[in-house]
Amino acid sequence: MQTITIQPVSVQDAAALLAIYRPYVETTPISFELAAPTVEEFAQRIRHTTARFPYLKAVRDGEILGYTYVSPFRTRAAYNWSVETSIYVKQGEHAHGIGRMLYTALEAVLQRQHIYNLYAGIAYPNPESEQFHEHMGYQRVAHFKDCGYKLGAWRDMIFMERRLPRPIAPEPIVDISTLDLPAILAEAAEGDHYEA
């Protein structure tokens, strides 16, 4: 049995992550991008995200099987405690617990940053993603009809929400550079172990 571990992403992972992402862009409506970014563009996205937020990968025997990250939900300051989640698992590796491991680790880091509201934008219909998010504690809160056009058809989008424990008034956001990510990920993995 080979253990899957959750690790922080670096810019050196850009090509491997893009290889996972590209089929979602080119052959499905799951991503609303119409063309896959270049490796350089993808690396820049990683730099931009990791300056503020967690960007995590699932690794088995040196191979990246999936990744997750967050981005700001909206840009106005009152939204600082809310983020939009994204997750992609390598095709052929679904239903093995990888998504659960990634989201569990992601939430552990976000809680340390004092982020309380998680929103997942999901192309609709996508029953596998909707069921996965429901299993992870998300609830549907919005449905936008015909908001994107891809692969010859208008596409709907739903938003699902997960609310993490919060105080009455929010605590200041913690800078990700001050966190011990390996320790947080190791702690999150203790209760969420998977081998493949």
Side-chain angles (χ1 to χ4, degrees):
M1 289 289 195
Q2 296 171 321
T3 300
I4 295 172
T5 60
I6 306 301
Q7 304 168 15
V9 162
S10 73
V11 291
Q12 287 74 31
D13 297 318
L17 270 56
L18 179 56
I20 293 171
Y21 181 58
R22 183 182 302 278
Y24 287 99
V25 174
E26 295 179 345
T27 65
T28 80
I30 290 173
S31 167
F32 272 25
E33 284 201 81
L34 300 180
T38 65
V39 173
E40 293 76 18
E41 289 171 331
F42 206 94
Q44 183 55 37
R45 293 179 187 186
I46 292 171
R47 285 187 199 95
H48 180 75
T49 298
T50 56
R52 290 183 61 190
F53 298 117
Y55 203 136
L56 307 175
K57 60 185 176 181
V59 181
R60 180 183 63 208
D61 195 28
E63 179 186 8
I64 299 176
L65 304 176
Y67 64 93
T68 187
Y69 64 94
V70 300
S71 53
F73 177 62
R74 300 289 296 271
T75 58
R76 299 282 172 89
Y79 290 107
N80 283 349
W81 296 269
S82 300
V83 295
E84 184 172 348
T85 63
S86 294
I87 186 167
Y88 293 94
V89 174
K90 185 176 181 180
Q91 292 186 352
E93 296 288 350
H94 292 91
H96 295 304
I98 296 166
R100 185 197 72 241
M101 290 180 68
L102 284 165
Y103 260 16
T104 298
L106 183 73
E107 287 186 12
V109 179
L110 293 173
Q111 285 182 309
R112 298 283 172 64
Q113 287 192 275
H114 302 148
I115 291 172
Y116 309 116
N117 304 306
L118 315 183
Y119 298 96
I122 302 169
Y124 182 87
N126 187 340
E128 294 84 4
S129 184
E130 193 170 358
Q131 290 167 13
F132 165 73
H133 283 86
E134 286 175 353
H135 179 72
M136 295 303 300
Y138 286 69
Q139 295 180 331
R140 191 195 300 195
V141 292
H143 187 149
F144 302 100
K145 296 186 176 181
D146 294 341
C147 60
Y149 188 85
K150 186 172 180 185
L151 299 177
W154 288 103
R155 307 290 177 173
D156 290 9
M157 170 73 70
I158 63 170
F159 266 87
M160 298 185 73
E161 174 190 64
R162 175 156 165 73
R163 293 164 47 88
L164 300 179
R166 77 212 42 236
I168 294 174
E171 299 179 65
I173 299 296
V174 174
D175 189 316
I176 194 164
S177 68
T178 67
L179 297 178
D180 184 348
L181 286 182
I184 295 170
L185 298 179
E187 182 180 327
E190 287 180 6
D192 192 23
H193 183 68
Y194 175 75
E195 292 184 343

